[in-house]
Amino acid sequence: MCNQIGVGCLRTQTYHHRCWKERTVIAELLPTIDPETAARFGTTPDESRVNRAATALEGNGISVLRAANAAEAKRVVLGLIAEGSEVNHGASTSLDVAGITEEIDHSGRYEAIRPRTWSMDRQTQADEIRRLNSGPDVMLGSVHAVTETGSLMAASMGGSQLGPYVSGAGRVILVAGTQKIVSDLEEGLRRINDYAFPLEDARAQAAYGIHSAVNKILIINREITPGRITVVFVDEVLGF
């Protein structure tokens, strides 16, 4: 289990199916992250911090489940989704590493939106793509920070996953390694800008040949619809 992010752990998370050339892009970037920052934001916390965050989330109308590792997180998440459900997800290292993306998109058990929209023409079917992405039965994803006061923080370059998180999706299931727990919103912003963004930028360059950007940041302080949002905390470093 990776309890602190590092070159080997990040390679395993992101590019175990990709070529070595792509992996070295990540390895070359990692030394630019200050070691103190990496230790603060890339290490799993003690149980008391996890419990504080979980209790605060529950108090804010957000359900919390626990998983010991990525494999267990996959079982938990899939157990929450009925076969035949319309399911969408954004690009997420956490979902990829856990094997959730593969199961949703290719098992045939679900009505997967992402493969469908990727096969559509971006010029002539843009409106249909937008509508399909905006209101699925179930939206899967992750966040970049979870505060001990019970807020969720997600950053995005384009923002297509944020609308479903807020209100578009019938249900939202977010998978988050416990290393993403921070004290408050201010520290959450530091985690996004100083830690998660450099790693995501390297991933985007390796995967797509483009830079990422922190263009939009969503903060969810409370959910008013009971049972709509579930956070699955994973007790190991998972994602950025």
Side-chain angles (χ1 to χ4, degrees):
M1 181 180 78
C2 296
N3 60 8
Q4 182 169 335
I5 201 76
V7 174
C9 181
L10 185 59
R11 287 174 179 168
T12 300
Q13 288 197 82
T14 314
Y15 296 116
H16 58 287
H17 293 309
R18 298 185 183 275
C19 71
W20 177 255
K21 181 179 179 181
E22 289 175 323
R23 292 179 179 181
T24 59
V25 174
I26 297 291
E28 290 166 1
L29 179 73
L30 277 176
T32 67
I33 298 177
D34 177 74
E36 184 176 343
T37 299
R40 174 66 189 88
F41 296 131
T43 304
T44 53
D46 60 43
E47 186 68 11
S48 63
R49 296 194 73 203
V50 180
N51 288 336
R52 281 196 297 273
T55 299
L57 287 169
E58 293 276 4
N60 289 339
I62 298 167
S63 302
V64 178
L65 298 173
R66 297 283 295 273
N69 50 46
E72 185 176 345
K74 177 182 178 180
R75 291 192 293 272
V76 170
V77 169
L78 296 180
L80 296 173
I81 307 172
E83 289 195 22
S85 295
E86 184 184 63
V87 185
N88 198 12
H89 62 84
S92 168
T93 300
S94 298
L95 298 183
D96 290 348
V97 172
I100 296 169
T101 302
E102 179 72 17
E103 184 71 19
I104 294 298
D105 288 352
H106 302 295
S107 69
R109 296 171 56 199
Y110 310 98
E111 188 177 335
I113 291 177
R114 194 169 177 85
R116 180 178 172 186
T117 58
W118 274 104
S119 70
M120 297 168 69
D121 187 281
R122 288 305 192 260
Q123 298 298 320
T124 62
Q125 296 177 289
D127 286 342
E128 185 177 354
I129 291 170
R130 174 176 51 79
R131 286 190 288 268
L132 284 169
N133 282 331
S134 298
D137 294 337
V138 181
M139 183 69 184
L140 304 180
S142 188
V143 292
H144 295 98
V146 182
T147 73
E148 291 184 44
T149 54
S151 294
L152 303 173
M153 304 178 71
S156 179
M157 182 170 72
S160 61
Q161 80 276 37
L162 302 183
Y165 285 6
V166 173
S167 63
R171 293 184 63 204
V172 179
I173 303 171
L174 302 169
V175 178
T178 55
Q179 87 279 6
K180 297 183 179 184
I181 294 174
V182 296
S183 298
D184 51 30
L185 294 176
E186 182 179 357
E187 189 174 45
L189 290 173
R190 288 203 301 273
R191 188 181 193 282
I192 288 170
N193 289 310
D194 298 345
Y195 181 77
F197 167 66
L199 297 177
E200 172 57 25
D201 187 50
R203 187 201 70 83
Q205 291 178 65
Y208 313 125
I210 61 171
H211 284 282
S212 187
V214 181
N215 291 336
K216 302 171 185 180
I217 297 176
L218 170 67
I219 299 173
I220 299 176
N221 289 323
R222 179 178 292 273
E223 174 53 52
I224 62 173
T225 303
R228 181 177 174 271
I229 299 179
T230 298
V231 171
V232 179
F233 270 144
V234 185
D235 294 326
E236 65 178 3
V237 171
L238 183 66
F240 305 150

